[in-house]
Amino acid sequence: MVTARTQEAIERVKAALPDAVLEIEGIRKEFPGVVALDNVQFRLRRGTVHALMGENGAGKSTLMKIIAGIYTPDRGTIRLRGEEVRLAGPLDALERGIAMIHQELALMPFMTVAENIWIRREPRNPFGIIDHAEMAAKTQALFDRLNIQIDPLAEVRFLTVAQRQMIEIAKAVSYESDVLIMDEPTSALTEAEVEHLFKIIRDLRARGIGIVYITHKMNELFEIADEFSVFRDGTYVGTHASSDVTRDDIIRMMVGREITDMFPKEVAEIGAPVLQVEKLTLNGVFHDISFEVRAGEIFGLAGLVGSGRSNVAEALFGVRPATSGTIRINGREVDMASPAVAMREGMAFLTEDRKDTGCFLPLTVRENMQIAALHDQHVRLGLVQQREVDARCAEMKDALRIKTPDLDERIENLSGGNQQKVLLARWLMTKPRILILDEPTRGIDVGAKAEIHRLISKLAKDGVAVVMISSELPEVLGMSDRIMVMHEGHATGILDRAEADQVKIMELAAR
Amino acid sequence: MSNLDVIEPMAKTRRRLPQELNILSVLIGVALVFEVLGWIVQGQSFLANSQRLTIMILQVAVIGIIAVGVTQVIITGGIDLSSGSVVAMTAMITMSFAQTSDFARAIYPNLTDMPVIVPLFIGLTLGLAAGAVNGVLISKTGIPPFIATLGMMVAARGVAKWYSNGQPVSFPTKSFAAIGSGAWPVVIFLCVAAFFHFALRYTRYGKFTYAIGANPQAARVSGINVQRHLIKVYAVAGLLSGLAGIVTCARAGTAQAGMGIMYELDAITAAVIGGTSLSGGQGRIFGTVIGTVILGLMMSGFTFLRIDAYYQEMVKGGVIVAAVVADNYRARKRSKA
């Protein structure tokens, strides 16, 4: 009887609970110079995974930060469980049941897993001293519930990115959150780790938690999301069930136009070999790498992350010189001792990591763009001929369609795609004959991607020898004339454009 | 409506005001506070007294010369703690080559009455060398600038004391003493500041300096020889410390091993008040000049109000911290934008 009545009560409560755990209406957020969001709405239902889609700069991150209490909206309402709220800050949001898992994880590396989870809420013994045993036990119980296998007493700095993410999730669950925000959670995970993560997400969904999921990866959307909302240029475009649409529909909604030609490969005249690499070796990292690249050719470098692709690129450009083997430029052997040497040989290198090795974040777009060209152009007696450089920077800004108010804008205020274009402009200004691109379109939106592809094709057509590393197989296949595949530091094969397909590359990359 | 349409009109209203405007307003604020207090406490104007202002600027000119070098070091993301000791070391050694034959106990009795160019050259070379050693240590061994220049700070002070067994070196030739006489220290300071303000903004040297401070890895991949450039910047800082040493002893007419104590901190303070960010990549010499003047105003203002020297130091400490707090606040506002 009691159980029946309890059951009834639960049903009643359930019925009273609104379907939407979080409702947002008419949100506007303005930053100096930019309207980041305007009249945006969003509705998160209980027990669903709701993906936010949009190009970089569309406003996803801003919306997410508003939900997490990091930003305060200028206008609009937020309703949590049917009640209008004003979030005072991230902590306030967390205590109200909104947890966010950051792209850059925010754990303290020198503390244990348990300490990280229960920080500020440590169980104490009667003397007010932290009860570590109790804390470990509580952590273990939490992990058991979530099927996570991590030692609660391990120090966080020894854990992998995937494990840290699990801890963040567990921490969010420990707050009894019913809104969980995940910002590109799979960007640094291996396939197996992604599987595990998805299992946990499905489990959380089954418990009635609403999950806001931000991703650039289309296939994830279909695999994990129930619904998705699309944003474009700071405005809300629409919400759909992910079972109702195709990939092309979503792209169309995101860019507001058809992208017919993702990989606008142009036929280029293949000239003489410009870059010849023979038995290039960096002890313990890659071995006996040999290939040549001709003028006008796009040479793809494929392989899994960690296969040594990026290391080969770094060795070619003298960032981390090889220990043996030879590099010939136009038939002449060159000792690539430093990037300065490589640049004198007409090489350019767009690195993989925009933040770490690309952008000068506190500096302006102009300073970021011109720096590499200043080695041998536009400088007389040490004086920078600023008017000359400015004219070229402006040219680049127009040619690459870089969206920035002006050249004096700090580069950190640009979206990822535009930052990438600035870096590409930096290298194009050096007029390279050999261009090495490491993940040229990582983390940038579809529209900018196609533009960068078009640019690469055009460069090849103009006779530049291009070496392009990419983890995206369609990109490598679509752009390259030939593709070298690497596996654990060895070249496992070089495929011609005609014979290459995804299966062949994966076979060579993963054997 | 594309994103750009939204951005354009607002960007106009946002047209960046020069960063120095902030600091300039602080300068004016400090001056006004002393002016008002001057009328209240002393019954006279603080600012309308050209003699006082002349003395004030003369007092800080030497700090200013050092600060111009230190600013550049800080822009690369480093720090130079050795300036004050290098001042003492160059002062001692320079003076020993600038002594007049009228004085019987010269350090080098055979090398008295030298033309002024000799001690000048020796002093500048010495400063340059000390700075270059800092630079080489930092870029070749990879130790933090704090440690490398701390070592130089202690060692150079040791050289200054050892050189004449702790005795002062005095009696310079008239032509050498002239370097420190009248308004010369201020003229030298302003020339140095103008030169490097220009160099940082309009030369490749300057562009590379900012780039290294903003992101050393990216600078290297962009083809900048980071190690060599850092040696240059530290050498310049050393050179300017040497110059400061020359000016100091020429002005005092004597060199003592205890000269220049805490100058490095005053110079860092001037740079930081002037808007140079300790995290590197940001800062301007013009800001440092204003920072130097603010320091001078405070020193002279306290003396004017007859406030005890102890209080001066307490307030100076507060000002350093406040400057950095304000800078952080500004940076946060910017990054949120």
Side-chain angles (χ1 to χ4, degrees):
Chain A
M1 262 107 56
V2 175
T3 46
R5 218 185 302 151
T6 316
Q7 193 62 41
E8 202 178 305
I10 290 174
E11 289 303 323
R12 219 172 328 117
V13 171
K14 256 193 182 168
L17 275 175
D19 179 35
V21 59
L22 181 75
E23 282 170 292
I24 279 177
E25 251 165 65
I27 290 278
R28 181 183 169 90
K29 179 70 187 174
E30 214 174 280
F31 294 116
V34 196
V35 178
L37 287 180
D38 193 19
N39 198 19
V40 159
Q41 51 170 306
F42 173 70
R43 190 161 179 276
L44 178 66
R45 292 191 295 128
R46 268 178 202 290
T48 60
V49 176
H50 194 133
L52 297 187
M53 306 289 292
E55 298 185 296
N56 286 336
K60 292 168 304 189
S61 305
T62 312
L63 176 61
M64 174 185 77
K65 285 181 178 161
I66 285 174
I67 298 174
I70 297 169
Y71 292 158
T72 319
D74 301 332
R75 213 183 296 150
T77 56
I78 303 172
R79 269 198 300 277
L80 189 61
R81 294 176 220 97
E83 240 174 85
E84 192 170 330
V85 291
R86 282 195 67 85
L87 301 170
L91 200 59
D92 184 34
L94 187 61
E95 277 163 358
R96 288 169 189 268
I98 301 174
M100 173 160 171
I101 290 153
H102 291 266
Q103 211 169 358
E104 280 108 31
L105 302 173
L107 295 171
M108 286 144 284
F110 288 90
M111 292 171 76
T112 66
V113 171
E115 282 167 332
N116 265 285
I117 291 180
W118 301 105
I119 185 127
R120 267 180 357 98
R121 309 171 290 161
E122 296 89 349
R124 289 165 197 276
N125 66 16
F127 302 106
I129 309 290
I130 292 175
D131 186 344
H132 280 95
E134 167 70 14
M135 194 155 77
K138 276 173 80 172
T139 310
Q140 192 57 55
L142 184 66
F143 284 0
D144 289 345
R145 236 170 86 197
L146 294 171
N147 263 322
I148 296 175
Q149 272 127 25
I150 300 171
D151 177 8
L153 297 179
E155 268 184 56
V156 164
R157 65 191 159 124
F158 298 119
L159 303 181
T160 65
V161 176
Q163 286 173 315
R164 291 179 198 206
Q165 215 156 38
M166 303 293 163
I167 295 167
E168 291 262 26
I169 293 172
K171 185 173 168 183
V173 170
S174 77
Y175 273 94
E176 306 295 341
S177 306
D178 41 21
V179 176
L180 191 57
I181 308 164
M182 304 178 104
D183 184 11
E184 298 199 41
T186 59
S187 57
L189 303 191
T190 67
E191 218 146 295
E193 290 167 338
V194 171
E195 268 319 300
H196 189 194
L197 177 70
F198 282 0
K199 221 159 53 197
I200 291 179
I201 291 179
R202 288 194 190 99
D203 182 46
L204 295 173
R205 177 172 64 186
R207 290 165 193 271
I209 294 177
I211 295 162
V212 183
Y213 192 95
I214 295 177
T215 182
H216 273 119
K217 297 179 188 162
M218 214 65 82
N219 48 352
E220 278 183 8
L221 175 97
F222 291 112
E223 190 173 346
I224 194 82
D226 304 294
E227 292 181 313
F228 68 92
S229 291
V230 178
F231 297 88
R232 186 170 65 226
D233 294 338
T235 57
Y236 170 80
V237 177
T239 300
H240 300 271
S242 39
S243 50
D244 292 353
V245 292
T246 66
R247 198 186 155 87
D248 287 349
D249 294 333
I250 299 175
I251 292 181
R252 211 172 307 122
M253 279 187 259
M254 278 164 58
V255 296
R257 59 183 184 270
E258 302 265 355
I259 294 188
T260 43
D261 205 359
M262 240 346 246
F263 307 108
K265 171 98 182 130
E266 291 184 53
V267 183
E269 196 180 316
I270 307 289
V274 183
L275 171 68
Q276 289 161 295
V277 178
E278 220 168 290
K279 294 204 175 285
L280 203 66
T281 299
L282 177 59
N283 288 337
V285 182
F286 58 81
H287 305 273
D288 290 335
I289 304 293
S290 304
F291 62 89
E292 60 171 40
V293 188
R294 293 164 173 268
E297 189 178 32
I298 299 178
F299 186 79
L301 252 179
L304 302 176
V305 174
S307 61
R309 302 171 313 182
S310 298
N311 304 92
V312 170
E314 283 179 6
L316 288 179
F317 199 66
V319 177
R320 197 172 159 208
T323 40
S324 67
T326 58
I327 300 172
R328 272 178 236 278
I329 307 290
N330 293 323
R332 195 168 40 80
E333 189 174 333
V334 178
D335 176 20
M336 289 296 174
S338 72
V341 174
M343 283 170 67
R344 275 198 289 279
E345 298 296 331
M347 291 174 91
F349 178 31
L350 187 70
T351 56
E352 178 182 13
D353 195 315
R354 266 198 299 280
K355 248 190 200 147
D356 278 4
T357 50
C359 293
F360 300 106
L361 285 178
L363 303 187
T364 62
V365 170
R366 171 191 289 109
E367 305 284 348
N368 270 282
M369 217 188 266
Q370 70 188 10
I371 195 82
L374 296 183
H375 287 283
D376 54 4
Q377 302 174 60
H378 312 300
V379 175
R380 252 159 258 140
L381 299 171
L383 283 179
V384 177
Q385 309 296 307
Q386 200 61 54
R387 225 173 289 157
E388 271 175 46
V389 199
D390 281 358
R392 287 199 66 206
C393 288
E395 240 170 68
M396 283 291 167
K397 176 183 171 235
D398 293 340
L400 273 64
R401 283 191 262 166
I402 298 169
K403 273 194 208 168
T404 171
D406 53 45
L407 293 172
D408 288 320
E409 186 65 46
R410 284 160 157 258
I411 197 169
E412 64 182 341
N413 294 339
L414 267 56
S415 70
N418 282 307
Q419 287 180 351
Q420 188 76 341
K421 286 183 189 173
V422 171
L423 297 183
L424 197 55
R426 175 193 293 171
W427 290 114
L428 296 187
M429 282 175 72
T430 67
K431 301 174 186 155
R433 280 170 294 126
I434 302 168
L435 179 59
I436 307 169
L437 305 164
D438 196 350
E439 303 281 9
T441 65
R442 165 176 292 179
I444 70 179
D445 56 69
V446 195
K449 231 175 192 169
E451 279 180 43
I452 286 180
H453 288 150
R454 203 167 299 128
L455 214 79
I456 296 171
S457 278
K458 190 176 166 298
L459 287 168
K461 202 175 176 191
D462 294 344
V464 176
V466 179
V467 177
M468 188 183 80
I469 298 177
S470 174
S471 294
E472 285 184 47
L473 287 182
E475 180 171 271
V476 182
L477 286 163
M479 298 294 298
S480 313
D481 293 294
R482 287 184 303 141
I483 299 164
M484 182 169 87
V485 186
M486 289 187 67
H487 172 68
E488 292 187 349
H490 293 273
T492 45
I494 296 183
L495 303 167
D496 262 340
R497 182 176 179 78
E499 57 171 331
D501 59 34
Q502 300 219 6
V503 179
K504 284 200 184 110
I505 291 180
M506 279 324 289
E507 275 171 6
L508 291 169
R511 66 172 174 201
Chain B
M1 181 162 58
S2 91
N3 225 350
L4 218 61
D5 299 331
V6 185
I7 291 169
E8 218 73 81
M10 304 195 55
K12 289 280 184 309
T13 60
R14 187 161 66 120
R15 273 270 42 101
R16 267 162 283 279
L17 298 167
Q19 259 181 18
E20 286 79 12
L21 215 66
N22 272 323
I23 314 149
L24 214 52
S25 54
V26 172
L27 173 67
I28 294 167
V30 171
L32 286 182
V33 167
F34 281 119
E35 179 68 20
V36 171
L37 287 176
W39 283 108
I40 297 172
V41 180
Q42 303 287 349
Q44 55 165 302
S45 170
F46 171 62
L47 295 171
N49 184 331
S50 60
Q51 203 188 344
R52 173 155 46 240
L53 294 185
T54 313
I55 293 173
M56 182 273 289
I57 192 85
L58 271 171
Q59 269 181 336
V60 289
V62 168
I63 298 293
I65 294 170
I66 299 170
V68 168
V70 168
T71 301
Q72 300 176 52
V73 167
I74 297 178
I75 289 174
T76 67
I79 194 93
D80 188 353
L81 298 179
S82 66
S83 326
S85 299
V86 172
V87 163
M89 178 175 80
T90 43
M92 296 295 283
I93 297 177
T94 303
M95 187 57 103
S96 70
F97 290 96
Q99 285 174 306
T100 153
S101 53
D102 300 344
F103 177 52
R105 286 179 290 124
I107 300 237
Y108 304 111
N110 301 328
L111 294 176
T112 51
D113 288 335
M114 306 280 277
V116 69
I117 187 79
V118 174
L120 210 54
F121 178 77
I122 289 173
L124 293 177
T125 311
L126 207 61
L128 186 82
V133 170
N134 279 336
V136 169
L137 274 176
I138 290 159
S139 63
K140 300 294 177 193
T141 68
I143 59 175
F146 185 95
I147 300 299
T149 59
L150 181 70
M152 179 57 74
M153 170 182 167
V154 177
R157 182 71 63 190
V159 171
K161 289 177 184 161
W162 156 85
Y163 191 66
S164 63
N165 290 320
Q167 297 301 308
V169 184
S170 310
F171 298 99
T173 60
K174 276 212 180 67
S175 53
F176 183 78
I179 297 173
S181 67
W184 275 111
V186 180
V187 171
I188 294 172
F189 165 43
L190 293 180
C191 287
V192 163
F195 179 81
F196 281 103
H197 182 77
F198 183 81
L200 279 186
R201 296 201 63 181
Y202 302 109
T203 67
R204 180 162 50 194
Y205 166 85
K207 304 285 175 197
F208 285 6
T209 303
Y210 284 102
I212 289 172
N215 187 342
Q217 277 116 313
R220 181 156 179 270
V221 176
S222 303
I224 298 173
N225 188 332
V226 176
Q227 294 192 355
R228 201 174 58 199
H229 196 84
L230 280 181
I231 295 174
K232 275 190 214 168
V233 174
Y234 280 91
V236 165
L239 177 77
L240 292 180
S241 295
L243 181 59
I246 292 168
V247 173
T248 309
C249 68
R251 187 168 158 72
T254 178
Q256 296 182 13
M259 271 177 163
I261 283 180
M262 298 276 274
Y263 278 20
E264 62 279 340
L265 296 184
D266 282 342
I268 294 169
T269 307
V272 169
I273 293 179
T276 303
S277 159
L278 286 170
S279 48
Q282 298 175 69
R284 287 192 185 172
I285 300 294
F286 184 58
T288 298
V289 171
I290 299 175
T292 308
V293 176
I294 292 177
L295 266 190
L297 265 187
M298 291 200 316
M299 285 193 234
S300 132
F302 283 127
T303 316
F304 164 63
L305 296 175
R306 298 187 206 289
I307 293 175
D308 209 75
Y310 304 128
Y311 295 117
Q312 289 190 27
E313 289 188 352
M314 293 181 205
V315 172
K316 214 161 98 184
V319 167
I320 297 172
V321 174
V324 178
V325 170
D327 182 60
N328 273 350
Y329 177 72
R330 276 203 305 271
R332 243 203 333 269
K333 248 174 53 180
R334 262 198 312 263
S335 72
K336 266 199 175 172

